[in-house]
Amino acid sequence: MSVSIARKKAGRQAGIYVAAAVLAVFVLGPVFWLVTTSLKPRSEVFSSPPRFLPSDITFANYADVLTTDTMLFFANSVIVCLGTTVMCLAFALLACFTLTRTGTRGRKPILVGVLVSQLLPQAVLLVPLYRAADTLGLLNSRFGLMVAFMTFTLPVAIWLLRGFLMGIPMELEEAARMDGLSEFGAYWRVIVPLAKPGVAAVGIYVFFMAWQDFMYSLVFLTDESKRTLPLGVLSLIGSHTIEWGQLMAVSALLLVPILLVFTFAQRYFIAGITAGAVKG
């Protein structure tokens, strides 16, 4: 009987490994093709039959796209995404103070409104946001784009941070207030530092969402000097030809910040997501 159970367990584990391998190929296959295409000479991009690995690795595509304009687009993306992340976390933490640490009435309707706002497609908000930004003089500015990004990142940040902060005992805050801190001071100096894994996880999420955006950047930015890196890809797509090697090289550059952020903040991200999954 024990042998049969061991065989069934081994079979389940083998099935899990096979499914994980298939999923990894499905997810990482396009990334592998992107990187290898960026390292191919132009003559091999459309070779038949296709070559999965370049016969001669070349960095000419990267040399062609690493121009002053590309570096400017890259810097714009970093500025906009970091600014969006900082502002979104600041407003989300302030909102969560009211929603988790005070007895303010109407908290449930506010949370329902935050959740319902995520049911609207982002494209639906483009026209009213564009008109509002035009009225406020925020069009064609990095700050205006940051504000636009917050319309779809802030509600998620509030919802996720609330679930994490609700799991921190109120006794800690009460002890801090007995030591002389104000209500908000106890929240900011005691509760928020304890929520560092959750804050980091939400910050990574906001950064990823802002970094990969194309639609809002295309609508809100018209000055070429203020374009983000995803918009810079457009210059490689012409009316009659597409520089696929260079396009893949720029796409590979888009992956670098995401990989770096996730590599250095992985433990905070996993800890925040795990804690947020069981608290609330």
Side-chain angles (χ1 to χ4, degrees):
M1 184 67 178
S2 60
V3 176
S4 177
I5 295 176
R7 288 179 177 176
K8 289 182 179 180
K9 185 177 180 179
R12 285 196 298 268
Q13 290 179 342
I16 293 174
Y17 290 144
V18 171
V22 172
L23 181 61
V25 171
F26 180 77
V27 173
L28 298 178
V31 178
F32 172 78
W33 186 258
L34 181 151
V35 174
T36 56
T37 302
S38 69
L39 298 174
K40 293 178 181 178
R42 188 172 185 180
S43 59
E44 291 188 11
V45 173
F46 292 104
S47 61
S48 182
R51 302 179 64 94
F52 291 97
L53 295 174
S55 59
D56 294 317
I57 295 178
T58 177
F59 293 94
N61 293 319
Y62 290 92
D64 291 337
V65 299
L66 288 177
T67 61
T68 304
D69 290 340
T70 302
M71 293 297 99
L72 179 61
F73 298 154
F74 186 87
N76 288 336
S77 291
V78 172
I79 293 171
V80 170
C81 294
L82 289 179
T84 302
T85 302
V86 172
M87 289 197 305
C88 188
L89 287 178
F91 281 106
L93 287 170
L94 291 175
C96 286
F97 170 70
T98 302
L99 296 174
T100 62
R101 295 350 244 195
T102 65
T104 305
R105 293 183 178 181
R107 287 183 295 178
K108 289 186 177 180
I110 293 175
L111 290 172
V112 171
V114 168
L115 187 61
V116 170
S117 67
Q118 294 305 294
L119 301 179
L120 298 174
Q122 295 180 15
V124 174
L125 301 175
L126 271 177
V127 174
L129 281 176
Y130 182 88
R131 297 192 63 179
D134 188 22
T135 302
L136 297 173
L138 295 177
L139 283 181
N140 196 30
S141 70
R142 300 181 187 91
F143 179 74
L145 184 60
M146 297 177 196
V147 175
F149 284 164
M150 288 179 61
T151 59
F152 59 85
T153 57
L154 183 58
V156 178
I158 292 174
W159 191 265
L160 293 177
L161 280 177
R162 175 187 175 274
F164 189 84
L165 291 169
M166 288 290 289
I168 299 178
M170 291 290 294
E171 290 77 8
L172 297 175
E173 187 174 353
E174 293 172 358
R177 295 185 64 185
M178 290 181 63
D179 289 337
L181 291 176
S182 63
E183 186 176 5
F184 182 77
Y187 170 76
W188 195 256
R189 297 180 62 180
V190 176
I191 303 303
V192 172
L194 291 175
K196 184 168 62 173
V199 174
V202 174
I204 294 171
Y205 165 80
V206 173
F207 184 88
F208 286 176
M209 292 295 294
W211 184 263
Q212 68 183 359
D213 173 80
F214 176 83
M215 180 172 58
Y216 276 62
S217 301
L218 180 64
V219 171
F220 281 83
L221 298 177
T222 56
D223 191 347
E224 187 173 353
S225 63
K226 297 178 182 179
R227 287 184 175 183
T228 56
L229 190 56
L231 288 183
V233 176
L234 280 178
S235 61
L236 301 175
I237 303 177
S239 302
H240 305 288
T241 60
I242 300 177
E243 296 293 340
W244 286 104
Q246 298 178 17
L247 185 63
M248 295 299 103
V250 174
S251 301
L253 293 176
L254 277 169
L255 294 177
V256 172
I258 296 177
L259 294 176
L260 290 177
V261 170
F262 190 80
T263 298
F264 290 106
Q266 181 179 8
R267 62 189 184 95
Y268 294 111
F269 182 76
I270 295 175
I273 292 297
T274 303
V278 298
K279 295 178 181 178

